[in-house]
Amino acid sequence: MVMGTLRQETELAIVGAGPGGYVAALRAADLGKEVVLIDERGDPGGVCLHEGCIPSKTLIHAAELLEAAREAKKLGITFGAPSIDLGGLRKFSRNVVAGLSRGVRGLLKKRGVELVKGRARFDGPNSLSIEGGGGVDFRHAIIASGSRPVRLPSLTTDGLWTSREALTLPESPDRLVVVGGGYIGLELSLVYSGLGSKVTLVEFSPRFLPGVDPDLVDVMVKSATRSIDGLMLESSVKEIAQEGKTYQVRVEHEAGEQTLEADRVLMAVGRQPNTDDLGLDNLGLSLDDNGRIPVDEDCRTAVPHIFAVGDVTPGPMLAHKASREAKVAAEVLAGQKSAFDNRAIPAVVYTSPEIAWAGLTEVEAKEKKIDVTVGRFPLKALGRARTLGQTEGLVKVLCRPGDGLVLGVGMVGPQASELIAEGTLALEMGATLEDLTTTIHPHPTLSEAIMEAAEVAAGSAVHAA
Ligand code: NAD
């Protein structure tokens, strides 16, 4: 790794080594490009690997293990009260992150990608300066600088956690208030309540996960009420004050005002793109109303030799979207025919049970006045779900009336994060209900629920009552 002290020239400079930037670097190098990859964190992997998806899924797995041990009672197996060694869990999570980051570094090295540590800023159409000295002159650049948690100026007391701090597992506070009931708020509320904290989750909207299909969210919320102490909707946090080691969180809702006492407060009110300190003016690039960089199907910006991928571009802030865009940008740069023309970007919320969907949802269909046929299959009617003792959930398949073209798949239940891949593939391949119903699904598995929901939509369900 080069520390940003010298000025160097390269064919392709990439800003940001997350799942957008490092994937673009690997693909471009494989296609013969000379690549310099710049990231202010010494290790590659970005927020996703170091302080997002990977540590959060490690902690979620720990919380699920604890829940599984409690639930085992149903099967006649009783464990003693668990003893949780936060140090041990922290070490496991750190090792997972370090191992994966080492792996990415090895892949970059093998392909001759030069990794430069430093904060990069465009100082001209073909040059980047690196904070602390040095710079890179390039023919092409890919902006993959990602996003960071939104900090509300009105709520800025010392010591507030964002997902970044919460995922380092500094402690398991007795009382935790979580502000924001979106992806991060829900996932981390479940982690900390699983570890023994008394959690109150405060959401501004009338629903948790606003915008996500209520049929799926309702099942998860019903289950979450058993583990999360307080679930508050239509509640807005107005003030957070610190008194000694305690936080006073003033919440306003329809019924009036309430002050919650907490030992920690986690802010999970959204993420914002890292586009404000990149010197984009020096490139002549403008941002959209959300501070994102508009791109075309090639992932090319309005400045033809500059590309952008991931959270800095419009669309969901998801690692897998960034990685797909990264491959497209690298391939287009290398002269290949490639385009981000994906029909579906799957989304997963790693709650308990998990929620996942791809393509059109029923809510969107109603909003856009798209006529759809919907097949629903409840997990309580599925053999494999019963053997697991996890029957809360359902699968929905949405299709076009007439030819049965699959338009969307949504689910809530165990392993939804894995099962959604079948729905996403069906959407990409332009599959119809017939494709789903005539494909033999192994029995007994959770995947049969997709086939069963498709049969319901097709009106040929043998297992429907
Ligand atoms: P989010 O947009 O999902 O949710 C933020 C929530 O905070 C919203 O529901 C909003 O109504 C609420 N809110 C805002 N201000 C509030 C206030 N003052 N009081 C109470 N509630 C308030 O944002 P997030 O959970 O921070 O996640 C950010 C992004 O990160 C997500 O959009 C997602 O793209 C990504 N992410 C994905 C995953 C995953 O794929 N499983 C996990 C974590 C994060």
Side-chain angles (χ1 to χ4, degrees):
M1 182 174 58
V2 172
M3 308 295 284
T5 49
L6 28 123
R7 186 123 216 130
Q8 51 192 134
E9 272 182 33
T10 188
E11 232 182 319
L12 172 62
I14 301 176
V15 180
Y22 88 72
V23 169
L26 294 175
R27 186 76 186 120
D30 278 344
L31 295 173
K33 293 280 161 196
E34 177 201 23
V35 185
V36 172
L37 176 63
I38 311 149
D39 195 296
E40 59 185 325
R41 193 195 309 265
D43 298 311
V47 167
C48 168
L49 202 167
H50 293 276
E51 53 193 63
C53 328
I54 297 298
S56 73
K57 267 76 250 180
T58 310
L59 300 186
I60 286 166
H61 175 59
E64 281 169 356
L65 266 180
L66 291 164
E67 189 186 335
R70 276 192 300 273
E71 292 286 308
K73 209 172 161 190
K74 291 195 288 209
L75 280 73
I77 303 167
T78 315
F79 294 98
S83 149
I84 305 168
D85 166 18
L86 286 189
L89 181 52
R90 212 177 286 136
K91 190 171 162 203
F92 178 74
S93 178
R94 276 193 200 136
N95 284 343
V96 170
V97 169
L100 286 169
S101 186
R102 259 197 316 276
V104 175
R105 183 185 287 277
L107 294 174
L108 292 167
K109 194 171 170 199
K110 210 168 162 197
R111 286 165 172 84
V113 172
E114 186 155 352
L115 184 60
V116 174
K117 182 179 178 185
R119 195 177 172 81
R121 216 171 172 279
F122 291 95
D123 52 13
N126 291 89
S127 68
L128 279 158
S129 61
I130 314 281
E131 203 175 70
V136 180
D137 295 326
F138 57 81
R139 271 188 60 203
H140 288 104
I142 300 178
I143 305 169
S145 47
S147 63
R148 61 182 186 276
V150 166
R151 289 181 195 267
L152 300 177
S154 54
L155 304 174
T156 51
T157 319
D158 280 350
L160 294 183
W161 280 358
T162 64
S163 53
R164 182 185 187 167
E165 290 76 30
L167 288 170
T168 62
L169 203 61
E171 60 184 302
S172 171
D174 289 340
R175 297 162 303 175
L176 175 69
V177 168
V178 178
V179 185
Y183 282 67
I184 295 179
L186 277 158
E187 290 183 3
L188 288 178
S189 290
L190 287 165
V191 164
Y192 275 91
S193 57
L195 294 175
S197 298
K198 187 172 181 293
V199 176
T200 307
L201 176 58
V202 186
E203 166 58 42
F204 176 74
S205 310
R207 304 195 61 86
F208 293 106
L209 290 169
V212 180
D213 183 342
D215 283 353
L216 309 181
V217 177
D218 288 351
V219 174
M220 182 274 296
V221 170
K222 191 173 161 208
S223 164
T225 51
R226 294 196 286 268
S227 44
I228 300 175
D229 238 75
L231 289 170
M232 299 175 71
L233 286 169
E234 292 184 89
S235 303
S236 176
V237 172
K238 291 293 175 195
E239 195 186 353
I240 305 174
Q242 208 178 356
E243 283 173 22
K245 288 189 169 173
T246 307
Y247 292 90
Q248 308 284 336
V249 183
R250 188 163 64 81
V251 183
E252 243 178 47
H253 42 76
E254 219 182 32
E257 209 178 272
Q258 185 179 351
T259 298
L260 306 169
E261 276 208 350
D263 303 295
R264 281 286 168 193
V265 179
L266 165 62
M267 299 300 294
V269 292
R271 297 185 64 85
Q272 66 184 88
N274 291 328
T275 49
D276 41 357
D277 190 25
L278 280 176
L280 297 184
D281 287 353
N282 298 324
L283 290 175
L285 260 187
S286 346
L287 301 174
D288 69 13
D289 291 345
N290 299 314
R292 314 252 194 136
I293 306 170
V295 285
D296 63 13
E297 265 202 347
D298 290 352
C299 299
R300 197 188 292 271
T301 70
V303 178
H305 67 291
I306 309 283
F307 291 66
V309 302
D311 292 3
V312 293
T313 65
M317 288 184 168
L318 297 171
H320 42 275
K321 175 220 177 222
S323 296
R324 173 74 197 127
E325 288 177 335
K327 289 177 190 161
V328 169
E331 287 163 4
V332 170
L333 270 165
Q336 293 200 344
K337 200 168 152 22
S338 188
F340 188 84
D341 53 3
N342 289 66
R343 294 182 180 193
I345 301 170
V348 176
V349 195
Y350 293 82
T351 41
S352 176
E354 293 178 344
I355 297 178
W357 68 97
L360 190 71
T361 67
E362 235 181 316
V363 179
E364 278 169 349
K366 266 186 205 126
E367 276 168 14
K368 296 178 184 164
K369 297 192 170 43
I370 301 172
D371 198 15
V372 287
T373 304
V374 184
R376 288 182 180 76
F377 194 79
L379 294 191
K380 62 176 186 298
L382 193 75
R384 184 65 179 127
R386 289 213 171 226
T387 65
L388 296 171
Q390 296 179 52
T391 52
E392 282 179 334
L394 77 152
V395 171
K396 286 168 83 166
V397 172
L398 276 70
C399 72
R400 189 161 67 190
D403 62 3
L405 180 76
V406 178
L407 298 175
V409 177
M411 52 186 72
V412 52
Q415 304 295 326
S417 54
E418 303 293 339
L419 297 174
I420 197 60
E422 177 176 345
T424 315
L425 185 65
L427 289 156
E428 276 312 322
M429 300 288 290
T432 61
L433 288 183
E434 192 187 352
D435 295 317
L436 291 180
T437 57
T438 58
T439 296
I440 299 176
H441 287 68
H443 176 75
T445 61
L446 295 170
S447 69
E448 287 174 290
I450 299 172
M451 175 184 73
E452 299 279 3
E455 283 187 3
V456 172
S460 61
V462 292
H463 288 113

